[in-house]
Amino acid sequence: MSVETRRNFGTVRLPAGFNGLLPALVLIVLFFVVPVLALLLRSVTEPEPGLQNYAALLGDGTYARVFFNTFLVASVVTIVTVLVAFPVAWMLAIMPSGLASIVFGVIILSMWTNLLTRTYAWMVLLQRTGVINRTLMAAGVIDQPLPLINNLTGVTIGMVYIMLPFMILPLVGTLRAIDPMTLRAAALCGASPFQAFRRILLPLSLPGVAAGGLMVFVMSLGYFVTPALLGGTSNMMLAEMIAQMIQSLLNWGLGSAAAFILLVVTMALYALQLRLVGVRRMSGGI
């Protein structure tokens, strides 16, 4: 075997562009893969080896109630956020660029405000003696203060306000990419505004709705501060339960199992969203 042959045989040829991806892969392994594996290991080894932590979470009615509350709140928040964000995103897509930049800046500015400050502000607004109840009572709309805090209503209001920018951003990009002539052509063909929305605008905007909806839903599943401050004990979510298990009860096994279940469900939803959107894009292209 010649020297050149030995050199080629001993050289490992990496895929093109792999060297550029290597730092990112190292970071993913160190800060995502390793912690997830450590979480999984603790969930099946503490306090003793086995699957008793998962059996307790899935078989106990109390824990099942927390899982139900978590997905209920995340679903309600996602639906309400989509309904509120869609007209705002459409307004940003069709208004003049100068005015749109100002409104867009206000929306982005809300994301930079401290989360705890915004949540405490909603606590002041939603309480029985808060601005909202006093205004409604002064206007004669209601006779008694509405229960707007320490329940699902308060959690939904606070979280929708926080999640709106994350829904508006992908929607604006999708709506701006839609050719306005498509809607004009539908109007010329006799389509009503509702028909144009249902059969043209909504299907074309589904990628943005799916991307923003998935982002909002996944973030809502793991939210802690807002549900803890605006919700009651009957509306406890999974993130708050995990925090109590680990910080107060020092039950790392049960807390790790709950966190791992939440991660698996989140990844499954993400895979489902990719599959559905991909199928729709392929069918639309055909």
Side-chain angles (χ1 to χ4, degrees):
M1 183 181 294
S2 64
V3 176
E4 186 65 25
T5 303
R6 287 196 302 268
R7 286 178 180 176
N8 292 334
F9 182 79
T11 301
V12 178
R13 294 184 177 274
L14 298 177
F18 182 81
N19 292 332
L21 294 176
L22 186 59
L25 293 176
V26 171
L27 289 176
I28 291 175
V29 170
L30 290 178
F31 295 104
F32 181 77
V33 176
V34 173
V36 168
L37 291 178
L39 196 71
L40 177 61
L41 184 63
R42 277 197 154 183
S43 69
V44 296
T45 57
E46 296 186 12
E48 59 184 19
L51 300 177
Q52 64 277 359
N53 291 319
Y54 294 94
L57 286 172
L58 300 177
D60 193 305
T62 303
Y63 298 137
R65 179 66 181 176
V66 174
F67 276 97
F68 175 78
N69 287 338
T70 301
F71 286 95
L72 174 64
V73 171
S75 301
V76 172
V77 168
T78 302
I79 293 172
V80 176
T81 303
V82 171
L83 295 177
V84 175
F86 199 99
V88 177
W90 177 246
M91 178 186 66
L92 288 170
I94 63 175
M95 68 171 43
S97 58
L99 183 59
S101 299
I102 296 175
V103 177
F104 201 76
V106 173
I107 295 173
I108 296 298
L109 186 63
S110 67
M111 298 175 62
W112 297 342
T113 308
N114 184 269
L115 175 63
L116 194 59
T117 303
R118 288 183 285 170
T119 304
Y120 273 116
W122 276 113
M123 290 179 65
V124 174
L125 293 172
L126 297 175
Q127 61 184 338
R128 294 180 63 87
T129 57
V131 175
I132 295 177
N133 272 319
R134 284 190 298 175
T135 302
L136 293 176
M137 292 179 67
V141 178
I142 58 175
D143 297 327
Q144 298 293 329
L146 296 175
L148 300 176
I149 198 171
N150 296 328
N151 51 30
L152 180 60
T153 302
V155 175
T156 302
I157 293 174
M159 291 186 65
V160 167
Y161 168 73
I162 293 170
M163 296 296 175
L164 270 177
F166 300 99
M167 189 72 227
I168 292 174
L169 291 177
L171 264 179
V172 170
T174 303
L175 292 175
R176 283 180 175 173
I178 299 175
D179 190 355
M181 296 302 298
T182 307
L183 299 176
R184 294 180 183 178
L188 292 175
C189 292
S192 65
F194 177 74
Q195 289 176 329
F197 169 78
R198 183 176 63 87
R199 303 188 64 177
I200 298 177
L201 184 61
L202 185 59
L204 292 177
S205 63
L206 280 181
V209 173
L214 178 67
M215 187 185 305
V216 170
F217 187 81
V218 169
M219 292 178 64
S220 299
L221 287 177
Y223 244 64
F224 170 72
V225 174
T226 303
L229 294 178
L230 297 179
T233 55
S234 60
N235 298 105
M236 177 181 289
M237 294 181 65
L238 191 57
E240 186 178 358
M241 186 186 76
I242 294 172
Q244 288 188 4
M245 286 180 179
I246 294 177
Q247 295 177 358
S248 302
L249 304 177
L250 299 180
N251 193 337
W252 281 90
L254 202 59
S256 299
F260 191 76
I261 290 175
L262 183 60
L263 176 64
V264 170
V265 172
T266 302
M267 298 300 291
L269 291 173
Y270 180 66
L272 179 63
Q273 185 260 354
L274 287 180
R275 181 175 180 82
L276 291 178
V277 173
V279 169
R280 283 173 181 163
R281 284 179 178 173
M282 290 178 62
S283 61
I286 296 175

